[in-house]
Amino acid sequence: PQEILFELARRARQVLSRFDRSASMPFGIGWNGSDFEVESGRLRLAPGSLGLTCATFVLALFRAVGIDLIHESTWPVRTEDDRQFVAFARRFDLDLATRLDEEVDRGCRRIRPEEVMGACEGATPASYDEARTAGERLAALL
C-alpha cells in the first residue's frame, strides 16, 4: 500500500540523516531481527547481533515499518560459505574478520542480497526456498 511506501521512504530518510551525522553503521553477517527506532532512525541491534550487511539493512528497514520480508527460521546455517565470506573480508580488515569469525562460530544465518531481492517478489514473509529460487532467477536477469 502507498502509505507503507511513504513510511518506508520516511524511515530511510531518517536513517540516512542519522548516518550523515555519525558516518557509522556497524557490520555483522548474521541476521536476527534488528531494526530502526521509529522516532530517531537509530539502529536497534538485536541481542547477539554485531551489525548489518547490505541485505540485512534492507530487512531491518522493512521491519521498522512492520514488514518482515523473510521467515528467518527457514534459512540454513551455511558455515563453509560464511567462512569464505569472512576470508574475503580478512583481506581488508583483520579486526572485523575476527569478530565475524565469532559470529560464524555461533552458527549465524547470513542472508544474501539476491535472497532479499527474491523475498520482495512474492508474499511475505518468504521462506528460504521461495526467496532463493526467486532471487536466483532475478539475479540471472541482471
Side-chain angles (χ1 to χ4, degrees):
Q2 190 147 351
E3 298 82 21
I4 297 290
L5 293 176
F6 284 128
E7 182 59 22
L8 187 61
R10 184 180 78 76
R11 191 63 49 85
R13 284 190 296 276
Q14 277 182 322
V15 171
L16 176 61
S17 174
R18 186 170 189 85
F19 179 78
D20 282 346
R21 288 190 306 274
S22 69
S24 175
M25 183 69 64
F27 187 84
I29 60 175
W31 170 249
N32 57 0
S34 299
D35 68 1
F36 294 96
E37 286 183 352
V38 173
E39 296 304 318
S40 69
R42 185 180 71 84
L43 175 62
R44 288 188 296 206
L45 289 175
S49 179
L50 296 178
L52 303 173
T53 63
C54 58
T56 58
F57 176 88
V58 172
L59 296 177
L61 197 57
F62 272 83
R63 174 169 275 185
V65 298
I67 299 172
D68 283 321
L69 290 177
I70 67 165
H71 193 32
E72 182 206 353
S73 66
T74 64
W75 253 253
V77 173
R78 299 176 276 201
T79 304
E80 281 310 306
D81 183 55
D82 292 346
R83 289 206 191 286
Q84 290 175 10
F85 180 85
V86 174
F88 175 77
R90 185 169 282 108
R91 297 172 22 202
F92 304 100
D93 189 330
L94 188 57
D95 291 335
L96 173 63
T98 299
R99 291 191 309 274
L100 297 178
D101 275 330
E102 292 170 6
E103 236 183 336
V104 171
D105 289 343
R106 288 193 309 265
C108 68
R109 290 183 168 105
R110 182 167 63 96
I111 316 299
R112 296 177 181 161
E114 66 272 16
E115 294 163 354
V116 173
M117 186 171 60
C120 290
E121 185 179 65
T124 58
S127 71
Y128 169 73
D129 288 334
E130 294 165 336
R132 181 184 51 83
T133 300
E136 287 174 356
R137 185 179 49 72
L138 292 169
L141 293 173
L142 294 174

